[in-house]
């Protein structure tokens, strides 16, 4: 259960940074005071995927959470779970996961399966989340014993089978995952899982820790946040999505205006206006993820003018130094559902 309350947090999408610019971008975002950096997964020839970029950023950062988008439809759930667990280790417990499930005939063809559409997308996402959570729990926290005297590295009694099978009525090809994982339990126990509000329904609310909320216009965004809050309750963080283009480097936002995702609210204008908008929005949302038109141009203005003023107003919570992404979201570290020491309480696997 989330205990998130009070001032909000800010995340920034770093998709505009190429492979050579990842370190520069994530360090600039961390220095500016952003709480989280996200990485869009838009595969292209020769380009590392979102997980690889986040992993590259892990060792060079200290406080910023690293949250890649990872597809749940055409990526093997076992691989998702283990790669995200590895990210949690290289980042010192600052990893999260944005669940994606979109129609992609190209991705389907690449893995030799039929394209997934409609409600089946959400079913694939829900199954992948459940597999990952079970595999993260399949090693108890003290499974690694490193007993030199006996030559035992692992207490095998503290490794458990995940024993997952797709549920009845699953639209796509059914599958099963036995487990256990090949990687010890993540530092956070369970990585925070974020999902777009569009997946809610097929993906149960209790399966996620935060919901990403979009609206077609900035004027409608706060109302959409309130609507989603009413659906998910207080135990799940609600994060608003906002495109941003600012007056910067001697050019007005109108002159710099980029082509944005038409389904996402956008702000274009002066930094002072954005500060006012975010201050009001953070009274409704637990956090906001910004999608800059030009990464480094917007980062410069955000770090110089917007985030300092939001902090002065008390709208932003402090950056968690040497903490975890769960700490940022106000989430306790859960016990493994399979623990042999004591029966875990209901819902402890989240």
């Amino acid at each position: 259960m989330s205990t998130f309350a009070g001032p909000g947090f800010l995340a920034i999408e770093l998709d505009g940074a190429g492979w050579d610019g990842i370190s520069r971008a994530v360090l600039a975002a961390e220095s500016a005071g952003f709480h989280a950096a996200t990485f869009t997964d838009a595969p292209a020839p020769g380009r590392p995927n979102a997980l690889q970029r986040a992993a590259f950023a892990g060792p060079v950062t200290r406080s910023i959470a690293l949250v890649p988008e990872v597809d749940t439809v055409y990526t093997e759930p076992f691989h998702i779970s283990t790669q995200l667990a590895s990210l949690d280790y290289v980042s010192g417990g600052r990893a999260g996961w944005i669940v994606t499930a979109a129609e992609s005939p190209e991705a389907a063809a690449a893995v030799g399966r039929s394209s997934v559409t409609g409600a089946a997308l959400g079913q694939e996402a829900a199954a992948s989340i459940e597999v990952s959570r079970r595999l993260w729990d399949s090693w108890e926290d003290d499974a690694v014993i490193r007993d030199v005297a006996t030559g035992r590295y692992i207490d095998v009694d503290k490794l458990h089978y995940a024993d997952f099978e797709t549920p009845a009525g699953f639209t796509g090809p059914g599958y099963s995952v036995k487990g256990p994982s090949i990687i010890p339990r993540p530092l956070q126990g369970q990585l925070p899982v974020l999902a777009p509000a569009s997946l809610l329904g097929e993906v149960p609310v209790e399966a996620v820790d935060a919901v990403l909320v979009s609206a077609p216009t900035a004027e409608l965004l706060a109302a959409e946040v309130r609507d989603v809050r009413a659906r998910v309750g207080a135990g799940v963080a609600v994060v608003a999505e906002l495109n941003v283009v600012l007056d910067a480097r001697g050019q007005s936002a109108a002159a710099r205006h980029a082509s944005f995702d038409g389904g996402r609210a956008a702000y274009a204008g002066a930094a002072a206006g954005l500060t006012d908008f975010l201050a009001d929005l953070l009274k409704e949302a637990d956090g906001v993820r910004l999608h800059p038109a030009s990464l480094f141009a917007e980062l410069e203005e955000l770090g110089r003018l917007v985030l300092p003023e939001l902090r002065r107003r008390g709208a932003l919570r402090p950056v968690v130094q040497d903490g975890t992404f769960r700490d940022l979201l106000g989430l306790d570290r859960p016990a493994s559902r399979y623990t042999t020491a004591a029966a875990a309480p209901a819902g402890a696997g989240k």
Side-chain angles (χ1 to χ4, degrees):
M1 175 67 71
S2 173
T3 57
F4 192 96
F9 66 90
L10 285 181
I12 186 166
E13 170 54 47
L14 297 185
D15 188 54
W19 181 246
D20 294 332
I22 292 173
S23 292
R24 176 188 168 205
V26 74
L27 287 171
E30 186 172 65
S31 177
F34 279 95
H35 301 83
T38 67
F39 302 83
T40 298
D41 200 15
R47 183 194 194 207
N49 64 29
L51 254 170
Q52 291 169 324
R53 284 178 280 139
F56 185 83
V60 303
T61 52
R62 179 177 173 181
S63 62
I64 195 166
L66 304 171
V67 194
E69 294 184 358
V70 184
D71 168 63
T72 57
V73 181
Y74 304 109
T75 309
E76 291 288 345
F78 193 93
H79 295 162
I80 292 174
S81 171
T82 55
Q83 289 171 13
L84 286 167
S86 296
L87 175 61
D88 205 42
Y89 277 102
V90 301
S91 65
R94 291 177 284 118
W97 174 20
I98 297 176
V99 170
T100 61
E103 291 186 33
S104 178
E106 297 82 8
V111 297
R113 64 170 291 186
S114 57
S115 183
V116 177
T117 61
L121 294 168
Q123 291 179 0
E124 295 275 0
S128 190
I129 294 169
E130 179 63 17
V131 168
S132 292
R133 290 197 182 279
R134 291 194 191 195
L135 288 170
W136 291 334
D137 279 350
S138 66
W139 290 53
E140 294 184 37
D141 289 321
D142 55 353
V144 178
I145 55 175
R146 299 184 179 90
D147 190 335
V148 176
T150 63
R152 292 189 306 149
Y153 178 74
I154 299 169
D155 182 346
V156 294
D157 291 332
K158 295 189 175 184
L159 269 60
H160 305 277
Y161 292 121
D163 282 334
F164 173 85
E165 292 190 9
T166 47
F170 193 74
T171 303
Y175 62 87
S176 63
V177 176
K178 187 69 176 175
S181 179
I182 57 174
I183 292 179
R185 196 164 191 242
L187 294 177
Q188 297 180 90
Q190 293 273 331
L191 277 67
V193 177
L194 296 74
S198 59
L199 289 178
L200 293 180
E202 295 296 338
V203 174
V205 170
E206 57 270 20
V208 301
D209 301 294
V211 177
L212 301 170
V213 179
S214 296
T217 67
E219 292 75 16
L220 296 174
L221 188 53
E224 189 65 24
V225 167
R226 288 191 292 270
D227 180 67
V228 172
R229 173 86 69 200
R231 293 164 57 194
V232 303
V236 176
V238 178
V239 182
E241 299 267 48
L242 184 69
N243 290 334
V244 172
V245 56
L246 295 173
D247 300 341
R249 300 180 179 180
Q251 289 186 303
S252 68
R256 300 180 57 241
H257 203 296
S259 176
F260 278 131
D261 179 345
R264 188 185 298 138
Y267 173 88
L274 176 63
T275 303
D276 292 339
F277 181 81
L278 290 175
D280 288 339
L281 185 58
L282 286 166
K283 295 175 184 176
E284 305 286 351
D286 297 307
V288 179
R289 177 166 68 147
L290 302 180
H291 297 258
S294 175
L295 177 58
F296 290 105
E298 260 64 57
L299 250 177
E300 182 179 326
E301 299 303 306
L302 290 164
R304 186 171 66 90
L305 298 173
V306 178
L307 273 75
E309 177 60 17
L310 287 172
R311 286 208 158 78
R312 189 191 69 79
R313 298 185 191 185
L316 293 183
R317 68 181 309 171
V319 171
V320 179
Q321 296 293 337
D322 299 318
T324 69
F325 191 23
R326 294 188 74 89
D327 292 336
L328 174 64
L329 295 176
L331 296 167
D332 294 332
R333 189 182 187 282
S336 165
R337 72 189 70 193
Y338 304 116
T339 185
T340 56
K350 181 176 176 180

